[in-house]
Amino acid sequence: MFRILKNLNGGFMKKQILTLLMVFAPILAFAEVVTPAKIAELTAHRIDRLVSLKKIDTSFNTRTESIVISSEGPAPVAYKALVSQTKPTEGEPLQLEIYFDATAKPLSFKVLPGGVAGIDPQWPDKDAVSLLEYSMHEILENAADEQVSPFYVGLTSVVLSKDTMHNMPAAKIQVTSSLTTKKLNIYLMPDGSFMSSEVVP
Amino acid sequence: MTLITKARTSVFWFVLTGFLYGCNYSKNKGDGTGDIAQSYSLSAEQKSLLSYSYVYQNVFLPKCISCHGNSGSVNLESYENTLPHLETMRRVVFESKTMPKNNSLSNEEKAILWNWIDLGAPKESKAQSEPPVLKLTPTFDSIFKLIFQVKCLSCHGESKVAKRILLDKISLFNSPLELVLPGNPEESGLIIAIEREDEKRMPPDKEGYSKLNESEISAIRTWIINGAKD
């Protein structure tokens, strides 16, 4: 679906289809249609799975900082997730690409060469990938909300950082979308439970 | 009426009221067992069926084992482990009614449990032949009935907290999480989840749920090794 959108030359048609997708976001969410937000959630799952299978370094569970979703790649690839760790003290962050087909089935992965494991943010309770996964649940479960639906349908990136709210430590997950210049900030407690969210310019 | 007379009258009525209340309280409270025994009476024939395995199948497995399995502090998975907890069981189920957590025992289940304890918790039944005990086999139906329904569906059911991961056959096979890869238990998400030792283990230790026991894990593994066909 998103390949078709990408290849459309007419900006008007693309806007119309994307608008339709946002309108029908609640139905899509109920029917578990694959959207970039779903892919981001599955990416977080997949990272943990690859760590459990000892196919990637354990640092990806604790130090993943961002996930960027794009709809590119030769068939059968429909989505690519670029996972980046926190910045290391020296060198470039360790990165991983995961490829999914149109049904969100993971196809393959590739650890990009030249990266180094990042600084451990030392999340006190849930690890980084769990926090990212829980934040995506907030989007998936609130897809019908008109403020959330652009991020459900057009999510492009998710960035995790430490923050505070009401003087309590919080995980802040900032989400961007191709459908809006605004950003969605989701705040979770360190145990992954939802605190608050906001849409900012 | 003089003040003293009034005071005496008040004291008299106070004492009388207290006396009557105390009698009533004793009558209502009693030691409790007579009333409970009457509430949960079973026929002689039903009582003859009572054994540890009967109580396990009909009460512990559906209602208790998810938390009180082999990795819980109160372990009901074997007769020997259950025996030390009988008095506690009687108290928390029938007196304080704090267990199961949502008081979910049916009257029938309570009757089975009460009478079994009352009979001295016999290991074997007096019946000539006991009703057949469901045995766990490496088939989906057996795994679903004896493991998933008992230990997983309280969270992994429709409209439950973990509804994103359902455990019916279609959901298991079609999940993008690769929960069941026929022939490949090592990479099946279901096996990884139940065998891992960290806080992401399922059922979740942090929530007080017991880890699946060896025979349960083995049944699921064997089912997957055999191609997860039936």
Coordinates of all heavy atoms in Angstrom, one line a residue, chain B residues 124-170:
Chain B
E124 N -5.6 -40.7 47.7 CA -6.3 -41.5 46.8 C -7.8 -41.5 47.2 O -8.2 -41.2 48.3 CB -5.9 -43.0 46.9 CG -4.3 -43.2 46.9 CD -3.8 -43.0 45.5 OE1 -4.6 -43.0 44.5 OE2 -2.6 -42.8 45.3
S125 N -8.6 -41.8 46.2 CA -10.0 -41.8 46.4 C -10.5 -43.1 46.9 O -9.8 -44.1 46.8 CB -10.8 -41.4 45.2 OG -10.9 -42.5 44.3
K126 N -11.7 -43.2 47.5 CA -12.3 -44.4 48.0 C -13.1 -45.1 46.8 O -13.5 -46.2 47.0 CB -13.2 -44.2 49.1 CG -12.5 -43.7 50.4 CD -13.5 -43.7 51.5 CE -12.9 -43.6 52.9 NZ -11.9 -42.4 53.0
A127 N -13.3 -44.4 45.7 CA -14.1 -45.0 44.6 C -13.3 -46.1 44.0 O -12.1 -46.2 44.0 CB -14.3 -43.9 43.6
Q128 N -14.1 -47.1 43.5 CA -13.5 -48.3 42.8 C -12.6 -47.8 41.7 O -11.6 -48.3 41.4 CB -14.6 -49.2 42.3 CG -15.4 -49.8 43.4 CD -14.7 -50.9 44.1 OE1 -13.5 -51.1 44.0 NE2 -15.4 -51.7 45.0
S129 N -13.2 -46.9 40.9 CA -12.4 -46.4 39.8 C -12.5 -44.8 39.7 O -13.7 -44.3 39.8 CB -12.9 -47.0 38.5 OG -14.2 -46.6 38.3
E130 N -11.5 -44.2 39.7 CA -11.5 -42.7 39.6 C -11.9 -42.2 38.3 O -11.6 -42.9 37.3 CB -10.1 -42.2 40.0 CG -9.8 -42.2 41.5 CD -8.6 -41.4 41.9 OE1 -8.4 -40.4 41.2 OE2 -7.9 -41.8 42.8
P131 N -12.5 -41.1 38.2 CA -12.7 -40.5 36.9 C -11.4 -40.3 36.1 O -10.4 -40.0 36.8 CB -13.5 -39.2 37.1 CG -13.2 -38.9 38.6 CD -12.9 -40.2 39.3
P132 N -11.4 -40.4 34.8 CA -10.2 -40.2 34.1 C -9.5 -38.9 34.3 O -10.2 -37.9 34.3 CB -10.6 -40.4 32.6 CG -12.0 -40.1 32.6 CD -12.6 -40.5 33.9
V133 N -8.2 -38.9 34.5 CA -7.5 -37.7 34.7 C -6.9 -37.2 33.3 O -6.4 -38.0 32.6 CB -6.3 -37.9 35.7 CG1 -5.4 -36.7 35.7 CG2 -6.8 -38.2 37.1
L134 N -7.1 -36.0 33.0 CA -6.6 -35.5 31.8 C -5.1 -35.4 31.8 O -4.5 -34.8 32.7 CB -7.2 -34.0 31.5 CG -8.7 -33.9 31.3 CD1 -9.1 -32.5 31.2 CD2 -9.0 -34.7 30.0
K135 N -4.5 -36.1 30.8 CA -3.0 -36.1 30.8 C -2.6 -35.2 29.7 O -3.1 -35.1 28.6 CB -2.5 -37.5 30.5 CG -2.5 -38.4 31.8 CD -1.5 -39.5 31.6 CE -1.1 -39.9 33.0 NZ -1.2 -41.1 33.5
L136 N -1.5 -34.5 30.0 CA -0.9 -33.6 29.0 C -0.2 -34.3 27.9 O 0.6 -35.2 28.2 CB 0.1 -32.6 29.7 CG 0.8 -31.6 28.8 CD1 -0.2 -30.6 28.2 CD2 1.8 -30.8 29.7
T137 N -0.6 -34.1 26.6 CA 0.0 -34.7 25.5 C 0.5 -33.6 24.5 O 0.0 -32.5 24.6 CB -0.9 -35.6 24.7 OG1 -2.1 -34.8 24.3 CG2 -1.4 -36.8 25.6
P138 N 1.5 -33.9 23.7 CA 2.0 -32.9 22.8 C 1.1 -32.6 21.6 O 1.5 -32.8 20.4 CB 3.4 -33.5 22.3 CG 3.2 -34.9 22.5 CD 2.3 -35.2 23.6
T139 N -0.2 -32.3 21.9 CA -1.1 -31.9 20.8 C -1.6 -30.5 21.2 O -1.7 -30.2 22.4 CB -2.3 -32.9 20.8 OG1 -3.0 -32.8 22.0 CG2 -1.8 -34.3 20.5
F140 N -2.1 -29.8 20.2 CA -2.5 -28.4 20.4 C -3.7 -28.5 21.4 O -3.8 -27.6 22.3 CB -2.9 -27.7 19.2 CG -3.4 -26.3 19.4 CD1 -2.5 -25.3 19.7 CD2 -4.8 -26.0 19.4 CE1 -2.9 -24.0 20.0 CE2 -5.2 -24.7 19.7 CZ -4.3 -23.7 20.0
D141 N -4.7 -29.4 21.2 CA -5.9 -29.4 22.1 C -5.5 -29.6 23.5 O -6.0 -28.9 24.4 CB -6.8 -30.5 21.6 CG -7.6 -30.1 20.4 OD1 -7.6 -28.9 20.1 OD2 -8.2 -31.0 19.7
S142 N -4.6 -30.5 23.8 CA -4.2 -30.8 25.2 C -3.4 -29.6 25.7 O -3.6 -29.1 26.9 CB -3.3 -32.0 25.2 OG -2.9 -32.3 26.5
I143 N -2.5 -29.0 24.9 CA -1.7 -27.9 25.4 C -2.6 -26.7 25.7 O -2.5 -26.0 26.7 CB -0.6 -27.5 24.3 CG1 0.4 -28.6 24.3 CG2 0.0 -26.1 24.6 CD1 1.3 -28.5 23.1
F144 N -3.6 -26.5 24.8 CA -4.5 -25.3 25.0 C -5.3 -25.5 26.3 O -5.4 -24.5 27.0 CB -5.4 -25.2 23.8 CG -6.2 -23.9 23.8 CD1 -5.7 -22.7 23.3 CD2 -7.5 -23.9 24.3 CE1 -6.4 -21.6 23.3 CE2 -8.3 -22.8 24.3 CZ -7.7 -21.6 23.8
K145 N -5.8 -26.7 26.4 CA -6.7 -26.9 27.6 C -6.0 -26.9 28.9 O -6.4 -26.4 29.9 CB -7.4 -28.3 27.4 CG -8.6 -28.5 28.4 CD -9.5 -29.6 27.9 CE -10.7 -29.7 28.8 NZ -11.8 -30.4 28.2
L146 N -4.8 -27.6 28.9 CA -4.1 -27.8 30.2 C -3.0 -26.8 30.5 O -2.6 -26.8 31.6 CB -3.5 -29.2 30.2 CG -4.6 -30.4 30.2 CD1 -3.9 -31.7 30.2 CD2 -5.5 -30.3 31.4
I147 N -2.6 -26.0 29.5 CA -1.6 -25.0 29.8 C -2.1 -23.6 29.5 O -2.2 -22.8 30.4 CB -0.3 -25.3 28.9 CG1 0.2 -26.7 29.2 CG2 0.7 -24.2 29.3 CD1 1.4 -27.0 28.4
F148 N -2.5 -23.4 28.3 CA -2.9 -22.0 27.9 C -4.1 -21.5 28.7 O -4.1 -20.4 29.2 CB -3.2 -21.9 26.4 CG -2.0 -22.1 25.5 CD1 -2.1 -22.3 24.1 CD2 -0.7 -22.1 26.0 CE1 -1.0 -22.5 23.3 CE2 0.4 -22.3 25.2 CZ 0.2 -22.5 23.9
Q149 N -5.2 -22.4 28.7 CA -6.4 -21.9 29.4 C -6.1 -21.7 30.9 O -6.7 -20.8 31.5 CB -7.5 -23.0 29.3 CG -8.2 -22.8 28.0 CD -9.4 -23.7 27.9 OE1 -9.5 -24.8 28.4 NE2 -10.4 -23.3 27.2
V150 N -5.2 -22.5 31.5 CA -4.9 -22.4 32.9 C -4.0 -21.3 33.2 O -4.2 -20.6 34.2 CB -4.4 -23.8 33.4 CG1 -3.9 -23.7 34.8 CG2 -5.4 -24.9 33.2
K151 N -2.9 -21.1 32.4 CA -1.8 -20.3 32.9 C -1.6 -19.0 32.0 O -0.8 -18.2 32.3 CB -0.5 -21.1 32.9 CG -0.6 -22.2 33.9 CD 0.7 -22.9 34.1 CE 0.6 -24.0 35.1 NZ 1.9 -24.6 35.5
C152 N -2.4 -18.9 30.9 CA -2.0 -17.8 30.0 C -3.2 -16.9 29.6 O -3.1 -15.7 29.4 CB -1.5 -18.4 28.7 SG -0.2 -19.6 28.9
L153 N -4.4 -17.5 29.4 CA -5.5 -16.8 28.9 C -6.1 -15.7 29.8 O -6.8 -14.8 29.3 CB -6.6 -17.7 28.5 CG -6.4 -18.7 27.3 CD1 -7.7 -19.3 26.8 CD2 -5.7 -17.9 26.2
S154 N -5.7 -15.7 31.0 CA -6.1 -14.6 31.9 C -5.6 -13.3 31.4 O -6.1 -12.2 31.6 CB -5.7 -14.8 33.3 OG -4.4 -15.0 33.5
C155 N -4.4 -13.3 30.7 CA -3.9 -12.1 30.1 C -4.0 -12.1 28.5 O -4.2 -11.1 27.9 CB -2.4 -11.9 30.5 SG -2.2 -11.6 32.2
H156 N -3.8 -13.3 28.0 CA -3.7 -13.4 26.5 C -5.0 -13.8 25.9 O -5.1 -14.7 25.0 CB -2.6 -14.4 26.1 CG -1.2 -13.9 26.4 ND1 -0.6 -13.0 25.5 CD2 -0.3 -14.1 27.4 CE1 0.6 -12.7 26.0 NE2 0.8 -13.4 27.1
G157 N -6.1 -13.2 26.4 CA -7.4 -13.5 25.8 C -7.9 -12.2 25.2 O -7.4 -11.1 25.4
E158 N -9.0 -12.4 24.4 CA -9.6 -11.2 23.8 C -10.0 -10.3 24.9 O -10.5 -10.7 25.9 CB -10.9 -11.7 23.0 CG -10.7 -12.7 21.9 CD -10.3 -12.0 20.6 OE1 -10.3 -10.8 20.6 OE2 -10.1 -12.7 19.6
S159 N -9.8 -9.0 24.7 CA -10.1 -7.9 25.6 C -9.4 -8.0 26.9 O -9.7 -7.3 27.9 CB -11.6 -7.8 25.9 OG -12.0 -8.9 26.8
K160 N -8.3 -8.8 26.9 CA -7.5 -8.9 28.1 C -6.2 -8.0 27.9 O -6.0 -7.5 26.8 CB -7.0 -10.3 28.4 CG -8.2 -11.3 28.6 CD -8.9 -11.0 29.9 CE -9.9 -12.1 30.2 NZ -10.7 -11.9 31.4
V161 N -5.4 -7.8 29.0 CA -4.3 -6.9 28.9 C -3.3 -7.2 27.8 O -2.7 -6.3 27.3 CB -3.7 -6.8 30.3 CG1 -3.0 -8.1 30.7 CG2 -2.7 -5.7 30.4
A162 N -3.1 -8.5 27.5 CA -2.1 -8.9 26.5 C -2.8 -9.4 25.3 O -2.4 -10.4 24.6 CB -1.1 -9.9 27.1
K163 N -3.9 -8.8 24.9 CA -4.7 -9.3 23.8 C -4.0 -9.2 22.4 O -4.4 -9.7 21.4 CB -6.0 -8.5 23.7 CG -5.8 -7.0 23.4 CD -7.2 -6.3 23.4 CE -7.0 -4.8 23.1 NZ -6.5 -4.0 24.2
R164 N -2.8 -8.5 22.4 CA -2.1 -8.4 21.1 C -1.5 -9.7 20.7 O -1.2 -10.0 19.6 CB -0.9 -7.4 21.2 CG -1.4 -6.0 21.6 CD -0.4 -4.9 21.2 NE -1.1 -3.7 20.9 CZ -1.7 -3.5 19.8 NH1 -1.6 -4.3 18.8 NH2 -2.4 -2.4 19.6
I165 N -1.3 -10.6 21.7 CA -0.8 -11.9 21.4 C -1.8 -12.9 21.9 O -1.9 -13.2 23.1 CB 0.6 -12.1 22.1 CG1 1.6 -11.1 21.6 CG2 1.1 -13.6 21.9 CD1 2.9 -11.1 22.3
L166 N -2.5 -13.5 20.9 CA -3.5 -14.5 21.3 C -2.9 -15.9 21.0 O -2.0 -16.1 20.3 CB -4.8 -14.3 20.4 CG -5.5 -13.0 20.6 CD1 -6.6 -12.8 19.6 CD2 -5.9 -12.8 22.0
L167 N -3.5 -16.9 21.7 CA -2.9 -18.2 21.7 C -3.8 -19.3 21.0 O -3.6 -20.5 21.2 CB -2.6 -18.7 23.1 CG -1.7 -17.7 23.9 CD1 -1.5 -18.2 25.3 CD2 -0.3 -17.6 23.1
D168 N -4.8 -18.9 20.2 CA -5.5 -19.9 19.3 C -4.5 -20.3 18.2 O -3.5 -19.6 17.9 CB -6.8 -19.3 18.8 CG -6.5 -18.0 18.0 OD1 -6.3 -17.0 18.5 OD2 -6.4 -18.2 16.7
K169 N -4.8 -21.4 17.6 CA -3.9 -21.9 16.6 C -3.6 -20.9 15.4 O -2.5 -20.8 15.0 CB -4.6 -23.2 16.0 CG -3.6 -24.3 15.8 CD -4.3 -25.6 15.5 CE -3.4 -26.7 15.2 NZ -4.1 -28.0 14.9
I170 N -4.7 -20.3 15.0 CA -4.5 -19.4 13.8 C -3.6 -18.2 14.2 O -2.6 -17.9 13.5 CB -5.8 -18.9 13.3 CG1 -6.6 -20.0 12.7 CG2 -5.6 -17.8 12.3 CD1 -8.0 -19.7 12.3

